[in-house]
Amino acid sequence: MSKRPATNHKPLSLIRPHLGELHAYVPGEQPQIKGLIKLNTNENPYPPSPKVLAAVQASVDGRLRLYPNPTAQALREQLATLHGCRPENILVGNGSDEVLALATRAFVEPKRGASSLKRATVQYFTPSYSLYPVLADIHGALKNVVALNPDFTLPHVAELKRSRAWDFQAALTFVTTPNAPSGRGYATAELETLCRAQKGVVILDEAYVDFAEENALALALKYPHVLVARTFSKAYSLCFQRVGYFVGHADLIAALDKIRDSYNVNGLGQIAAVATLDDLKYYRANFQKIIATREKLSRELTALGFRVLPSQTNFILARPPAFPAEAWLQKLRDQKILVRWFSTPTVREFLRITIGTPAEATALVTAARKICASRPPAE
Ligand SMILES: *Cc1c(COP(=O)(O)O)cnc(C)c1O
């Protein structure tokens, strides 16, 4: 360590200057604490289907030395059948995070060198998925950030036009639907009105849509500038394998396909995703269990004095009673329950709680009751 470097390169001077100020995405914690009830990162509490596990296990042999299919062909064909489109309408990525990043690179000009600033703008509502600003910043794009209504519903297009803050020309607009971290679902009709008003690409990020009443997939097949992003992570218990995809117009998909890494989707992930699509019945039963647990947990926390927002996802956003949300985070952690708290002003009074198994939900309610009872009596 004390040796003088062999050359006088200054490593920091070698890095693109705008990365100096970049705030990286902050993932939820993955602590290794025995017995911890982990309700902080919206993972599915149920394991993948036994058929998926068997398919992955059967593939772990000498073939790992081979490259996987470069276009995830079998998976794209199955997804096309599922969604009533062609494989040319599907792009698979290393998680949907990768396809969101590819879209930023394909559709947005970095602000320096952009012929028009419109082409350099990434736009999204707040609060929504906290990866969007990171993708814009990495790319050197402009950000246009507009608040959702205070109850996390979507502002009407007429209001967006009146307020003038929203950019109908933005090169890329991200909409998390259903919304995270609020859990709010949006009607396809209102999403369609918004899409029709946008001149640039619109991405409907449907990471949680399997827990919702409606999905907007039809818009991706109807409008050439609309892409729907889906993931196997949350609803299909496959976070570990990193598989997500876009559905959209073949021309947009072809552009994204040009710039992706040739082997962006790992082989075991492709196998797991194909096996998942072969056993959708298993997953649909899990969605129903999670939705039932979500509704019961919402009622029980409401009875304890929480303000629970309506959710169409596998998590709830809830404002706890008696103590500030940040204090609740620690108090629950002391009882080995991990939830998520965001310091963002619009949600800092809330906890985001992933829906676990019925037993985990019961443990949470028991812990919450104890915490409420520990409140010093009012004077
Ligand atoms: C989890 C999540 C993703 C990313 O999913 P991966 O496929 O695991 O990369 C994308 N969008 C939203 C809104 C999410 O919550």
Side-chain angles (χ1 to χ4, degrees), residues 34-369:
K34 234 181 120 214
L36 183 77
I37 296 181
K38 195 172 170 304
L39 306 175
N40 66 328
T41 48
N42 299 341
E43 289 143 328
N44 198 302
Y46 302 109
S49 143
K51 291 178 186 160
V52 169
L53 297 180
V56 172
Q57 275 156 7
S59 314
V60 178
D61 59 25
R63 286 171 294 174
L64 291 187
R65 74 190 176 82
L66 300 173
Y67 279 108
N69 184 290
T71 60
Q73 187 65 22
L75 177 55
R76 284 171 46 248
E77 284 172 10
Q78 287 222 35
L79 287 169
T81 305
L82 177 69
H83 295 311
C85 59
R86 290 177 301 128
E88 292 75 19
N89 298 116
I90 311 269
L91 178 96
V92 186
N94 182 42
S96 59
D97 283 353
E98 190 201 13
V99 299
L100 301 177
L102 287 171
T104 310
R105 275 183 246 152
F107 306 128
V108 185
E109 299 281 2
K111 57 194 165 203
R112 266 197 238 189
S115 53
S116 138
L117 288 183
K118 300 296 181 195
R119 295 213 47 99
T121 300
V122 170
Q123 173 169 254
Y124 48 91
F125 292 104
T126 184
S128 70
Y129 188 30
S130 54
L131 180 67
Y132 309 147
V134 180
L135 295 178
D137 289 345
I138 291 172
H139 193 59
L142 294 168
K143 288 172 292 194
N144 193 47
V145 189
V146 172
L148 289 169
N149 294 329
D151 62 355
F152 307 107
T153 53
L154 275 183
H156 291 298
V157 166
E159 278 166 50
L160 292 174
K161 284 191 173 146
R162 223 175 301 129
S163 82
R164 298 178 156 268
W166 187 255
D167 182 356
F168 290 93
Q169 317 278 332
L172 181 58
T173 299
F174 287 112
V175 182
T176 314
T177 172
N179 181 251
S182 74
R184 270 278 176 208
Y186 300 132
T188 302
E190 60 179 333
L191 293 169
E192 181 162 13
T193 306
L194 179 63
C195 288
R196 291 177 69 102
Q198 291 305 129
K199 299 288 175 247
V201 174
V202 181
I203 291 178
L204 303 175
D205 182 351
E206 292 195 327
Y208 300 101
V209 82
D210 296 283
F211 307 103
E213 285 162 15
E214 276 189 74
N215 72 73
L217 195 103
L219 302 183
L221 299 173
K222 182 171 176 186
Y223 297 103
H225 67 303
V226 177
L227 293 166
V228 164
R230 294 276 182 94
T231 173
F232 283 86
S233 291
K234 316 293 180 18
Y236 300 93
S237 305
L238 223 50
C239 291
F240 198 80
Q241 293 278 23
R242 314 299 306 126
V243 187
Y245 61 97
F246 272 142
V247 180
H249 193 280
D251 289 349
L252 296 194
I253 296 295
L256 294 160
D257 192 53
K258 254 191 204 169
I259 63 167
R260 71 176 173 83
D261 288 344
S262 342
Y263 300 105
N264 63 327
V265 192
N266 78 85
L268 294 178
Q270 294 185 36
I271 284 164
V274 165
T276 297
L277 296 178
D278 286 334
D279 198 10
L280 289 178
K281 225 176 72 197
Y282 168 88
Y283 294 94
R284 287 175 180 149
N286 288 346
F287 305 157
Q288 291 317 311
K289 283 193 261 183
I290 289 168
I291 290 168
T293 308
R294 177 184 80 200
E295 298 309 307
K296 181 164 182 273
L297 177 65
S298 299
R299 284 194 300 275
E300 291 175 348
L301 290 178
T302 302
L304 286 177
F306 283 68
R307 179 181 163 229
V308 183
L309 297 181
S311 167
Q312 298 217 6
T313 61
N314 69 334
F315 57 85
I316 53 173
L317 193 70
R319 196 179 63 200
F323 302 98
E326 194 180 5
W328 270 90
L329 178 71
Q330 189 53 45
K331 287 174 187 289
L332 285 169
R333 200 187 175 103
D334 294 343
Q335 299 195 53
K336 285 198 170 185
I337 298 177
L338 186 56
V339 299
R340 191 97 188 253
W341 175 77
F342 297 96
S343 59
T344 328
T346 47
V347 293
R348 57 170 302 133
E349 292 181 5
F350 293 84
L351 297 172
R352 194 195 67 187
I353 305 169
T354 303
I355 306 303
T357 61
E360 289 171 332
T362 302
L364 174 69
V365 172
T366 305
R369 194 172 290 126

